[in-house]
Amino acid sequence: MSESDYMRNVKEKRPLVHHITNYVTVNDCANVTICAGGAPVMSDEAKDIVDISKIASAVVLNMGTLNERTVESIIISGKVANENGVPVVFDPVGAGASNYRNEVAARVLSEVKVDVIKGNAGEIGVLSGVGGEVRGVDSVSSNNDRLAAETLARKYGCVVAMTGETDYISDGERTVVLKNGDVLMECVSGTGCMVSSVVGCYVGANGVSVDSVAAAISAFSIAGELAAKTSKGPGSFKVNLLDCLFGLTAEQFDSIRKVE
């Protein structure tokens, strides 16, 4: 099927995407899930997440604002998803920035079978062992982005999506390179978290593959390109980004997408 068919499937199936995400971007992630075509659930209460994780189309686990309670909820949700065949998307926000974040990322990856790891170059570089640098939750530098993505994918037997000026999506054997997006995406807090939500929608509706993850990132990045054309700055861009993702057509997707 064509790449835009992945987008059609999301809008037709309206996948239920359960999030344990950070309080900086939780509302943005809920809204972007709706605009991508999915249905969001945002809960990190241990008594609540077991039932939700069983019935979700996908689970998105984001460690942006860590505390001991939410870490335990992340592990519980991930394990329940594994037991019920629900795809797990892990966003290791800030991995490499502190020892605690490194410990949590390592624990999640050892106790939960993660289907997709989505991160920036610094986070993926650190987790892969290839090398990367993170300041706060932002990537500062990386060493051989493609190699880091492929190495991490092989290490955990999953799809890795490394986002940045150039995006690399790999399962360790096959790598897709994407080059859509706009610099304004770096000026809005939470765009990385929002991408993970869109990935959750796409794997929830289409299954986990390099192509479904790449289609999700393309849809979000193309929406960013379109939004930038009518935006005066970061504030209007954020609103326009949601509008453009919501209204994205198959024709726009296929004609604007830059893929190698």
Side-chain angles (χ1 to χ4, degrees):
M1 63 181 179
S2 71
E3 295 303 317
S4 58
D5 287 335
Y6 290 99
M7 181 176 68
R8 291 193 190 94
N9 286 341
V10 174
K11 295 182 178 181
E12 289 176 2
K13 295 181 180 180
R14 200 164 182 258
L16 180 67
V17 183
H18 173 227
H19 296 70
I20 298 179
T21 190
N22 69 79
Y23 52 68
V24 176
T25 64
V26 62
N27 182 253
D28 296 329
C29 291
N31 282 324
V32 81
T33 298
I34 295 169
C35 291
V41 177
M42 327 299 285
S43 178
D44 60 9
E45 171 52 51
K47 295 178 181 178
D48 188 38
I49 60 177
V50 172
D51 290 338
I52 294 173
S53 299
K54 288 179 181 178
I55 65 170
S57 304
V59 168
V60 176
L61 306 175
N62 177 307
M63 63 178 218
T65 48
L66 289 177
N67 59 64
E68 292 183 6
R69 183 181 66 82
T70 55
V71 171
E72 295 306 317
S73 293
I74 284 172
I75 298 297
I76 292 169
S77 182
K79 288 182 175 180
V80 171
N82 288 166
E83 292 168 359
N84 290 274
V86 176
V88 176
V89 179
F90 179 46
D91 191 340
V93 177
S98 70
N99 288 332
Y100 183 54
R101 287 181 183 272
N102 293 344
E103 292 168 2
V104 171
R107 183 183 173 195
V108 172
L109 291 169
S110 67
E111 296 188 31
V112 176
K113 176 61 178 78
V114 171
D115 296 288
V116 181
I117 302 173
K118 197 290 303 176
N120 61 35
E123 294 156 355
I124 300 302
V126 167
L127 293 178
S128 68
V130 170
E133 185 179 349
V134 176
R135 181 180 59 200
V137 298
D138 295 321
S139 177
V140 177
S141 64
S142 63
N143 179 25
N144 201 331
D145 293 348
R146 181 171 185 149
L147 175 62
E150 293 172 345
T151 299
L152 187 61
R154 287 192 291 267
K155 183 176 181 180
Y156 290 104
C158 66
V159 175
V160 169
M162 177 190 287
T163 56
E165 183 176 351
T166 298
D167 305 313
Y168 297 91
I169 296 85
S170 180
D171 61 4
E173 297 183 1
R174 175 170 169 253
T175 301
V176 172
V177 182
L178 305 173
K179 295 188 176 181
N180 288 106
D182 190 88
V183 293
L184 275 176
M185 299 176 82
E186 300 176 1
C187 301
V188 175
S189 176
T191 51
C193 300
M194 294 163 75
V195 171
S196 295
S197 296
V198 178
V199 170
C201 291
Y202 275 64
V203 300
N206 298 286
V208 178
S209 67
V210 169
D211 290 327
S212 64
V213 175
I217 293 173
S218 289
F220 187 78
S221 298
I222 290 168
E225 282 189 21
L226 295 171
K229 293 179 180 180
T230 57
S231 299
K232 297 180 180 179
S236 56
F237 174 76
K238 183 176 178 180
V239 174
N240 291 335
L241 174 62
L242 292 175
D243 286 346
C244 289
L245 182 62
F246 178 77
L248 189 64
T249 66
E251 182 180 1
Q252 289 173 322
F253 187 104
D254 292 332
S255 63
I256 301 173
R257 190 174 193 242
K258 300 172 185 175
V259 58
E260 296 178 4

mmCIF file of all heavy atoms in Angstrom, residues 146-147 149-155 157-160 169-176 210:
data_model
loop_
_atom_site.group_PDB
_atom_site.id
_atom_site.type_symbol
_atom_site.label_atom_id
_atom_site.label_comp_id
_atom_site.label_asym_id
_atom_site.label_seq_id
_atom_site.Cartn_x
_atom_site.Cartn_y
_atom_site.Cartn_z
ATOM 1 N N ARG A 146 22.915 7.703 11.951
ATOM 2 C CA ARG A 146 22.360 6.494 11.344
ATOM 3 C C ARG A 146 22.853 5.236 12.061
ATOM 4 O O ARG A 146 22.070 4.321 12.359
ATOM 5 C CB ARG A 146 22.715 6.437 9.863
ATOM 6 C CG ARG A 146 22.149 5.209 9.161
ATOM 7 C CD ARG A 146 22.330 5.297 7.663
ATOM 8 N NE ARG A 146 21.675 4.164 7.005
ATOM 9 C CZ ARG A 146 21.134 4.215 5.800
ATOM 10 N NH1 ARG A 146 21.153 5.340 5.116
ATOM 11 N NH2 ARG A 146 20.579 3.152 5.271
ATOM 12 N N LEU A 147 24.145 5.199 12.347
ATOM 13 C CA LEU A 147 24.716 4.048 13.042
ATOM 14 C C LEU A 147 24.080 3.881 14.418
ATOM 15 O O LEU A 147 23.790 2.763 14.844
ATOM 16 C CB LEU A 147 26.231 4.218 13.181
ATOM 17 C CG LEU A 147 26.948 3.132 13.989
ATOM 18 C CD1 LEU A 147 26.787 1.770 13.319
ATOM 19 C CD2 LEU A 147 28.435 3.483 14.130
ATOM 20 N N ALA A 149 21.049 4.789 15.424
ATOM 21 C CA ALA A 149 19.687 4.273 15.280
ATOM 22 C C ALA A 149 19.695 2.784 14.956
ATOM 23 O O ALA A 149 18.937 1.993 15.542
ATOM 24 C CB ALA A 149 18.942 5.049 14.196
ATOM 25 N N GLU A 150 20.535 2.380 14.035
ATOM 26 C CA GLU A 150 20.588 0.973 13.630
ATOM 27 C C GLU A 150 21.113 0.088 14.764
ATOM 28 O O GLU A 150 20.617 -1.022 14.984
ATOM 29 C CB GLU A 150 21.465 0.836 12.390
ATOM 30 C CG GLU A 150 20.855 1.504 11.162
ATOM 31 C CD GLU A 150 21.784 1.554 9.971
ATOM 32 O OE1 GLU A 150 23.005 1.329 10.148
ATOM 33 O OE2 GLU A 150 21.300 1.839 8.852
ATOM 34 N N THR A 151 22.100 0.577 15.492
ATOM 35 C CA THR A 151 22.673 -0.187 16.596
ATOM 36 C C THR A 151 21.655 -0.403 17.709
ATOM 37 O O THR A 151 21.517 -1.509 18.244
ATOM 38 C CB THR A 151 23.909 0.538 17.160
ATOM 39 O OG1 THR A 151 24.898 0.665 16.133
ATOM 40 C CG2 THR A 151 24.502 -0.223 18.339
ATOM 41 N N LEU A 152 20.910 0.658 18.057
ATOM 42 C CA LEU A 152 19.918 0.547 19.118
ATOM 43 C C LEU A 152 18.775 -0.373 18.709
ATOM 44 O O LEU A 152 18.263 -1.151 19.528
ATOM 45 C CB LEU A 152 19.386 1.928 19.489
ATOM 46 C CG LEU A 152 18.466 1.991 20.712
ATOM 47 C CD1 LEU A 152 19.194 1.516 21.965
ATOM 48 C CD2 LEU A 152 17.930 3.407 20.913
ATOM 49 N N ALA A 153 18.373 -0.298 17.442
ATOM 50 C CA ALA A 153 17.299 -1.171 16.951
ATOM 51 C C ALA A 153 17.696 -2.635 17.063
ATOM 52 O O ALA A 153 16.896 -3.480 17.482
ATOM 53 C CB ALA A 153 16.955 -0.813 15.508
ATOM 54 N N ARG A 154 18.923 -2.948 16.699
ATOM 55 C CA ARG A 154 19.392 -4.337 16.803
ATOM 56 C C ARG A 154 19.514 -4.770 18.261
ATOM 57 O O ARG A 154 19.223 -5.911 18.609
ATOM 58 C CB ARG A 154 20.738 -4.486 16.088
ATOM 59 C CG ARG A 154 20.640 -4.460 14.569
ATOM 60 C CD ARG A 154 21.931 -4.901 13.925
ATOM 61 N NE ARG A 154 22.995 -3.918 14.135
ATOM 62 C CZ ARG A 154 23.282 -2.947 13.274
ATOM 63 N NH1 ARG A 154 22.579 -2.814 12.160
ATOM 64 N NH2 ARG A 154 24.266 -2.114 13.532
ATOM 65 N N LYS A 155 19.930 -3.839 19.111
ATOM 66 C CA LYS A 155 20.143 -4.153 20.523
ATOM 67 C C LYS A 155 18.857 -4.611 21.201
ATOM 68 O O LYS A 155 18.869 -5.544 22.016
ATOM 69 C CB LYS A 155 20.712 -2.927 21.242
ATOM 70 C CG LYS A 155 21.056 -3.141 22.707
ATOM 71 C CD LYS A 155 21.704 -1.896 23.294
ATOM 72 C CE LYS A 155 22.089 -2.105 24.755
ATOM 73 N NZ LYS A 155 22.735 -0.873 25.318
ATOM 74 N N GLY A 157 15.789 -5.211 19.407
ATOM 75 C CA GLY A 157 14.862 -5.877 18.502
ATOM 76 C C GLY A 157 13.595 -5.086 18.270
ATOM 77 O O GLY A 157 12.489 -5.630 18.326
ATOM 78 N N CYS A 158 13.757 -3.797 18.008
ATOM 79 C CA CYS A 158 12.607 -2.905 17.854
ATOM 80 C C CYS A 158 12.840 -1.949 16.697
ATOM 81 O O CYS A 158 13.877 -2.001 16.030
ATOM 82 C CB CYS A 158 12.388 -2.116 19.151
ATOM 83 S SG CYS A 158 13.723 -0.954 19.542
ATOM 84 N N VAL A 159 11.873 -1.079 16.453
ATOM 85 C CA VAL A 159 12.041 0.010 15.498
ATOM 86 C C VAL A 159 12.511 1.242 16.267
ATOM 87 O O VAL A 159 11.945 1.581 17.303
ATOM 88 C CB VAL A 159 10.732 0.321 14.751
ATOM 89 C CG1 VAL A 159 10.907 1.548 13.848
ATOM 90 C CG2 VAL A 159 10.280 -0.883 13.933
ATOM 91 N N VAL A 160 13.549 1.873 15.779
ATOM 92 C CA VAL A 160 14.062 3.102 16.389
ATOM 93 C C VAL A 160 13.799 4.270 15.448
ATOM 94 O O VAL A 160 14.071 4.183 14.245
ATOM 95 C CB VAL A 160 15.564 2.991 16.693
ATOM 96 C CG1 VAL A 160 16.153 4.353 17.075
ATOM 97 C CG2 VAL A 160 15.802 1.994 17.812
ATOM 98 N N ILE A 169 14.749 6.135 10.625
ATOM 99 C CA ILE A 169 13.864 5.122 11.169
ATOM 100 C C ILE A 169 14.421 3.772 10.749
ATOM 101 O O ILE A 169 14.592 3.501 9.554
ATOM 102 C CB ILE A 169 12.416 5.290 10.674
ATOM 103 C CG1 ILE A 169 11.838 6.622 11.166
ATOM 104 C CG2 ILE A 169 11.535 4.170 11.218
ATOM 105 C CD1 ILE A 169 12.161 7.800 10.309
ATOM 106 N N SER A 170 14.723 2.920 11.747
ATOM 107 C CA SER A 170 15.424 1.670 11.442
ATOM 108 C C SER A 170 14.945 0.534 12.327
ATOM 109 O O SER A 170 14.588 0.736 13.490
ATOM 110 C CB SER A 170 16.931 1.865 11.636
ATOM 111 O OG SER A 170 17.639 0.668 11.360
ATOM 112 N N ASP A 171 14.973 -0.680 11.764
ATOM 113 C CA ASP A 171 14.752 -1.886 12.552
ATOM 114 C C ASP A 171 16.051 -2.679 12.694
ATOM 115 O O ASP A 171 16.052 -3.826 13.118
ATOM 116 C CB ASP A 171 13.657 -2.758 11.936
ATOM 117 C CG ASP A 171 13.994 -3.241 10.530
ATOM 118 O OD1 ASP A 171 15.116 -2.970 10.034
ATOM 119 O OD2 ASP A 171 13.129 -3.898 9.905
ATOM 120 N N GLY A 172 17.151 -2.040 12.334
ATOM 121 C CA GLY A 172 18.453 -2.680 12.419
ATOM 122 C C GLY A 172 18.900 -3.306 11.124
ATOM 123 O O GLY A 172 20.099 -3.534 10.911
ATOM 124 N N GLU A 173 17.957 -3.585 10.252
ATOM 125 C CA GLU A 173 18.271 -4.162 8.940
ATOM 126 C C GLU A 173 17.937 -3.198 7.810
ATOM 127 O O GLU A 173 18.669 -3.107 6.827
ATOM 128 C CB GLU A 173 17.511 -5.476 8.755
ATOM 129 C CG GLU A 173 17.901 -6.560 9.754
ATOM 130 C CD GLU A 173 17.180 -7.859 9.488
ATOM 131 O OE1 GLU A 173 16.390 -7.925 8.514
ATOM 132 O OE2 GLU A 173 17.396 -8.819 10.248
ATOM 133 N N ARG A 174 16.830 -2.498 7.970
ATOM 134 C CA ARG A 174 16.378 -1.534 6.955
ATOM 135 C C ARG A 174 16.227 -0.173 7.603
ATOM 136 O O ARG A 174 15.670 -0.045 8.698
ATOM 137 C CB ARG A 174 15.053 -1.994 6.366
ATOM 138 C CG ARG A 174 14.434 -1.007 5.382
ATOM 139 C CD ARG A 174 13.253 -1.637 4.653
ATOM 140 N NE ARG A 174 12.505 -0.637 3.919
ATOM 141 C CZ ARG A 174 11.300 -0.188 4.277
ATOM 142 N NH1 ARG A 174 10.703 -0.679 5.356
ATOM 143 N NH2 ARG A 174 10.691 0.728 3.558
ATOM 144 N N THR A 175 16.741 0.855 6.933
ATOM 145 C CA THR A 175 16.694 2.214 7.472
ATOM 146 C C THR A 175 16.083 3.151 6.444
ATOM 147 O O THR A 175 16.479 3.141 5.277
ATOM 148 C CB THR A 175 18.097 2.714 7.849
ATOM 149 O OG1 THR A 175 18.660 1.826 8.821
ATOM 150 C CG2 THR A 175 18.046 4.114 8.439
ATOM 151 N N VAL A 176 15.110 3.938 6.895
ATOM 152 C CA VAL A 176 14.475 4.956 6.056
ATOM 153 C C VAL A 176 14.939 6.326 6.540
ATOM 154 O O VAL A 176 14.974 6.578 7.750
ATOM 155 C CB VAL A 176 12.939 4.842 6.132
ATOM 156 C CG1 VAL A 176 12.272 6.023 5.431
ATOM 157 C CG2 VAL A 176 12.473 3.533 5.505
ATOM 158 N N VAL A 210 8.873 -0.400 10.160
ATOM 159 C CA VAL A 210 9.613 0.801 9.749
ATOM 160 C C VAL A 210 8.697 1.727 8.970
ATOM 161 O O VAL A 210 8.703 2.950 9.163
ATOM 162 C CB VAL A 210 10.846 0.414 8.901
ATOM 163 C CG1 VAL A 210 11.466 1.647 8.247
ATOM 164 C CG2 VAL A 210 11.886 -0.299 9.761
#
